[in-house]
Amino acid sequence: MVLIDEEGNSIHAQVYPPADELFRTRIKEGGVYTFSYFRVKGSNICYKPVENDQMLVFTKWTKVEEVLAVPPAFPMYAYSIASPEQLQARIDTRTQFTDVIGVITAISSIGTTQTKLRQGSSTKRTVTIQTPSNILLDVVLWSERATTFPADEVHKDGQTSPQVVLFVGTLVKSFGGMSLSGSSPCKWYINPDIPDTRKLLASAKPGYKPIVWSEGSSAAVQKEPA
C-alpha cells in the first residue's frame, strides 16, 4: 500500500501473510483511517513506490479505525512526477517506481507479444502520452493491466476533450526507445482532480487533436517487466 497523510506526506506499507487476511476487506483505496501499533523499518532497496527512507509493516496487532469525518482538503493522490532527467536516470533500473502524467494521444488495441521472461506470449496494450515537457512517451501495460485499462471509454471521451492520465508504479525501460512498463504495481487515474491536471488541460485545449487508435510497439521480442 501507499499511504498519504493530511499534510501530503507519503509512505509505503506492507502486510505479510498470514496477517494480510486481517486487512484485505478492512482497508480500501480512497478510505481514510487511523493506524496504530505498526512496525517502522527501513524502506526496501528495490521497487520503492515513494521517496521515503522508511516504511510501515502491519502485523496482527495493528489497529485500524476508519475516519468518517474526512477534512475537505485531505489529499487523495500520492505521486511524484518524474522529470525528464529522472526518467533518463532510471532507465532499466529497479530502485524506484516512476510516476508520470500526460495527455493521452494514442491507445493501442490489446495484442500479444513474445517475451524472454516467460515461454509463450504475454498480453499488452500501449498508451501514448504527451508529458508536460512535450515528450511523447509510450506506457506499455501488461497482462491484467492491459485488459482493464478503460480504452474504449477514454478514446470516446478523447474525441472531444483532452484526457489526462496519471500513471503511478511504472518502470522505465529501454526497449524500442525509452518507454514505461506497467505491470501489477501500476495504477492510473483519468483526469484526477489535482493541479497538474488543470495545468495540462489548459495547455492542451488550444489546437487539441482527438485520441487515435495505434498499433503500438511492433518489436517481435521484448523484455517483460522483471
Side-chain angles (χ1 to χ4, degrees):
M1 296 175 290
V2 172
L3 308 177
I4 187 170
D5 65 15
E6 191 172 0
E7 297 178 353
N9 303 304
S10 57
I11 195 168
H12 175 209
Q14 286 188 327
V15 190
Y16 297 95
D20 59 322
E21 295 297 332
L22 300 174
F23 303 96
R24 190 176 301 277
T25 60
R26 297 173 62 190
I27 302 175
K28 297 181 180 179
E29 183 180 8
V32 178
Y33 307 88
T34 58
F35 301 105
S36 56
Y37 301 106
F38 48 79
R39 291 176 54 213
V40 180
K41 57 174 287 188
S43 61
N44 294 338
I45 298 176
C46 295
Y47 304 117
K48 294 172 60 175
V50 295
E51 295 179 359
N52 196 319
D53 292 333
Q54 295 180 319
M55 62 177 290
L56 309 182
V57 177
F58 290 5
T59 72
K60 64 180 181 179
W61 309 111
T62 301
K63 302 297 182 183
V64 179
E65 183 177 353
E66 186 172 7
V67 176
L68 300 179
V70 180
F74 201 102
M76 290 290 118
Y77 302 97
Y79 64 95
S80 178
I81 303 300
S83 67
E85 293 76 20
Q86 288 174 321
L87 290 173
Q88 288 289 338
R90 295 177 186 176
I91 291 177
D92 294 330
T93 64
R94 299 181 297 169
T95 304
Q96 184 169 346
F97 286 115
T98 294
D99 307 334
V100 294
I101 194 169
V103 177
I104 299 175
T105 63
I107 304 173
S108 78
S109 300
I110 293 176
T112 56
T113 299
Q114 297 295 320
T115 63
K116 294 181 179 179
L117 183 62
R118 302 177 184 174
Q119 294 182 348
S121 60
S122 183
T123 305
K124 58 171 286 191
R125 183 197 297 277
T126 300
V127 180
T128 305
I129 63 173
Q130 185 169 359
T131 70
S133 302
N134 292 321
I135 297 173
L136 285 178
L137 194 60
D138 283 343
V139 182
V140 183
L141 303 176
W142 297 91
S143 303
E144 181 266 346
R145 291 298 183 260
T147 57
T148 56
F149 185 81
D152 292 334
E153 178 183 346
V154 172
H155 178 264
K156 179 181 178 181
D157 294 340
Q159 299 309 295
T160 55
S161 61
Q163 300 298 299
V164 173
V165 60
L166 170 65
F167 282 108
V168 298
T170 72
L171 292 174
V172 187
K173 298 292 184 177
S174 60
F175 53 76
M178 184 176 67
S179 62
L180 300 181
S181 180
S183 54
S184 56
C186 173
K187 290 188 69 66
W188 55 78
Y189 304 95
I190 308 296
N191 296 322
D193 186 14
I194 55 177
D196 298 272
T197 298
R198 292 188 283 273
K199 291 179 182 178
L200 274 174
L201 288 174
S203 62
K205 286 180 179 179
Y208 173 68
K209 296 180 180 179
I211 296 174
V212 300
W213 288 109
S214 70
E215 295 302 321
S217 176
S218 58
V221 178
Q222 295 186 4
K223 290 184 179 179
E224 195 173 2

